[in-house]
Amino acid sequence: GGGGGGGGGGGSGGQRVKVVSPRGHREEDSGGLAKSIGGFFGFGKPKESAEARKKAEIARSDAEYQKHLKMAQNEDLEFLSETNMVYQSGCDLAGRPIIVVVAQRIPAKTVDNMLLLHYFMKILDPVVKQDYVIVYVHTGFRSGNQPPFSIFKKSYGLFSRAYKKNLKQVFLVQPTWWVKLIVKLFKPIISSKFYKKLIYIERVEELYKYMNRNQVKLPITLKNADDTLRYFSEPLDEVMSHALNEGLEMPLLVADTIRYLSARALQIQGIFRVSGNATRIQEYKKKYDSGVAPNLLTEDSEHVVAGLLKLYVRELPDPLTTYELYDQWIECWVEKNPDQVLINVKKMLKKIPVCNRAVLGALLPLLNCIAEHSEVNKMSVSNLAIVWSPNLFQNPDETPASAFRDMNITSSLVS
């Protein structure tokens, strides 16, 4: 007993004091153990370290975003612009730019998802520096357009703060259960502020509470969800989402009429020049516009089917060679140098949209086959060019003088 007391006394004479806990365990003085445990689990550190960590994380995120943005700017993503899956379209009622994303046009199964992500960054980066809104159109979505969940998570983490901060509203138009499931899965990892920006739009009219209809260009599938289905006089890239065209690379009407004419019209005199019965042609047009595919094999007049095909191509709001590229097509012509003209035309064909190229890729071989039978059908290459060039080439700024000047050039390009 005395030795124990002496040890205690010696301790008071300069040795470090040991503190005995109520359970009899000895603890270091000055809270050293508590500090080390607290430091290990992170709750004993000053507030400045948490703020520093947040700043460091933001810096890393911004650096990662800039790295991918630079990659996007250096990559050749022109082929993705043909899909028209994301584009800017006017402003909402508050004057904020509208970004439209069309789900059914996203080639998620055929294009590397990081390239898709880079393309979105390239389109959105100039816009997100200011307040903006997104209209996400889910109408016509198919499983082939469905990106993996990982790419959504990657994009949310990669996109810079400006994307989230300046994004004021996201309109989810005609969402399915899959979209709503993705939103629910994201809810734990996105901020409550961002979650409140999401607005479900079941009918198109609801969207126009937030923006004027003439300010937002919507795909035909979305309009058809509320309105009457149309087939004629619609943009080619949009009409491809029509139910009649599902799984095809060109409109069903184009495929059916070319198949019919290839089998039955090669030796018909004046094919494409002689007019078909206008009443019969209009009857077919009404059927297509109402969503019904007529059986053209029952049609006795080749001129009616030829007239139907010409009418469809003529009524496209943007010609197959496109208004935008008209001047470049005219520049293709090189006097007395057919080889160079052919080279120029091949280059131009690569510039037009994929669907336009598919239609021309089916139409031009048909015209070539008809020309090969010109001794019988009286439709030479030049005759066919005269008939078709006004339907294929249209000058958006046409004047009588320019029409006369360009007529021979466009005919020559067709021939």
Side-chain angles (χ1 to χ4, degrees):
S12 62
Q15 295 185 9
R16 297 184 66 189
V17 177
K18 304 296 181 181
V19 180
V20 180
S21 72
R23 295 185 180 181
H25 298 293
R26 295 202 298 182
E27 300 176 354
E28 293 286 346
D29 68 327
S30 71
L33 182 60
K35 283 185 178 180
S36 62
I37 293 175
F40 179 79
F41 287 104
F43 55 73
K45 296 183 179 180
K47 290 183 179 180
E48 289 76 14
S49 62
E51 294 174 1
R53 285 199 303 274
K54 184 177 180 180
K55 289 181 179 179
E57 181 59 34
I58 290 174
R60 282 194 297 270
S61 177
D62 288 347
E64 183 74 4
Y65 174 79
Q66 291 300 325
K67 182 183 78 172
H68 281 273
L69 179 61
K70 186 176 181 180
M71 292 169 63
Q73 292 169 340
N74 292 330
E75 288 168 335
D76 182 10
L77 302 175
E78 186 63 26
F79 71 102
L80 288 175
S81 65
E82 298 174 346
T83 66
N84 211 25
M85 61 182 168
V86 54
Y87 53 89
Q88 184 176 346
S89 179
C91 298
D92 69 356
L93 295 179
R96 300 172 298 204
I98 302 168
I99 298 295
V100 180
V101 179
V102 185
Q104 71 174 69
R105 297 176 182 169
I106 301 175
K109 299 297 183 182
T110 56
V111 177
D112 181 83
N113 287 164
M114 284 308 299
L115 285 180
L116 292 177
L117 197 56
H118 287 173
Y119 180 70
F120 272 77
M121 292 171 66
K122 192 172 184 178
I123 297 296
L124 293 175
D125 187 73
V127 180
V128 301
K129 295 176 176 64
Q130 59 185 315
D131 291 351
Y132 70 105
V133 300
I134 288 179
V135 175
Y136 169 81
V137 179
H138 197 67
T139 317
F141 173 86
R142 301 187 183 103
S143 59
N145 309 108
Q146 181 175 318
F149 179 76
S150 59
I151 199 67
F152 288 99
K153 190 174 180 180
K154 174 75 174 176
S155 62
Y156 185 80
L158 180 60
F159 285 166
S160 68
R161 287 172 295 160
Y163 281 79
K164 304 159 193 174
K165 179 183 177 183
N166 295 336
L167 176 59
K168 298 308 175 184
Q169 288 174 318
V170 180
F171 301 96
L172 304 174
V173 183
Q174 297 176 342
T176 60
W177 65 270
W178 183 82
V179 172
K180 295 176 181 178
L181 175 63
I182 289 293
V183 171
K184 286 183 179 179
L185 291 175
F186 259 75
K187 192 172 183 179
I189 62 174
I190 62 178
S191 68
S192 58
K193 289 182 180 179
F194 185 87
Y195 195 78
K196 291 177 181 178
K197 298 176 182 179
L198 304 178
I199 300 174
Y200 288 118
I201 300 291
E202 299 296 341
R203 292 182 60 82
V204 180
E205 289 301 321
E206 298 171 19
L207 190 62
Y208 301 137
K209 297 175 185 176
Y210 306 92
M211 57 196 69
N212 291 325
R213 64 177 68 231
N214 63 353
Q215 283 290 309
V216 56
K217 180 185 176 184
L218 300 173
I220 185 175
T221 45
L222 181 56
K223 291 185 287 184
N224 288 343
D226 286 344
D227 305 323
T228 304
L229 285 166
R230 290 207 311 168
Y231 200 89
F232 278 71
S233 304
E234 295 287 355
L236 195 55
D237 62 330
E238 294 182 8
V239 83
M240 284 311 298
S241 58
H242 194 289
L244 292 180
N245 299 330
E246 185 172 357
L248 302 177
E249 63 176 7
M250 69 184 76
L252 177 67
L253 180 149
V254 175
D256 282 353
T257 53
I258 288 179
R259 188 181 302 112
Y260 175 103
L261 295 169
S262 297
R264 297 172 52 170
L266 298 184
Q267 299 188 41
I268 300 298
Q269 188 168 329
I271 193 68
F272 284 127
R273 179 174 54 80
V274 175
S275 300
N277 184 289
T279 301
R280 292 288 295 145
I281 292 173
Q282 288 300 316
E283 288 174 355
Y284 282 123
K285 177 183 177 180
K286 288 180 181 178
K287 286 184 178 181
Y288 278 103
D289 274 340
S290 64
V292 177
N295 181 8
L296 295 180
L297 295 177
T298 61
E299 176 55 56
D300 295 330
S301 172
E302 291 82 2
H303 294 300
V304 166
V305 177
L308 181 65
L309 176 59
K310 273 203 307 181
L311 178 65
Y312 179 77
V313 173
R314 183 167 63 249
E315 290 194 354
L316 288 172
D318 193 24
L320 290 174
T321 54
T322 75
Y323 284 125
E324 183 182 2
L325 297 175
Y326 180 82
D327 290 338
Q328 294 183 45
W329 280 105
I330 296 301
E331 291 170 2
C332 281
W333 179 251
V334 180
E335 189 73 29
K336 297 181 181 180
N337 194 342
D339 291 338
Q340 185 61 49
V341 172
L342 184 60
I343 293 172
N344 295 343
V345 167
K346 287 181 178 179
K347 289 180 180 178
M348 288 302 299
L349 287 173
K350 294 180 180 179
K351 294 183 179 183
I352 64 176
V354 174
C355 191
N356 297 44
R357 199 156 56 235
V359 172
L360 284 174
L363 174 61
L364 296 179
L366 169 65
L367 299 183
N368 186 57
C369 288
I370 291 173
E372 290 176 351
H373 294 79
S374 60
E375 290 186 5
V376 177
N377 61 39
K378 309 303 181 183
M379 292 303 292
S380 63
V381 170
S382 59
N383 287 341
L384 288 167
I386 291 171
V387 170
W388 273 99
S389 59
N391 298 311
L392 299 179
F393 295 96
Q394 295 177 32
N395 185 349
D397 304 311
E398 188 174 79
T399 63
S402 67
F404 181 78
R405 180 196 66 213
D406 296 345
M407 182 173 59
N408 289 335
I409 295 178
T410 55
S411 295
S412 298
L413 290 175
V414 174
S415 61

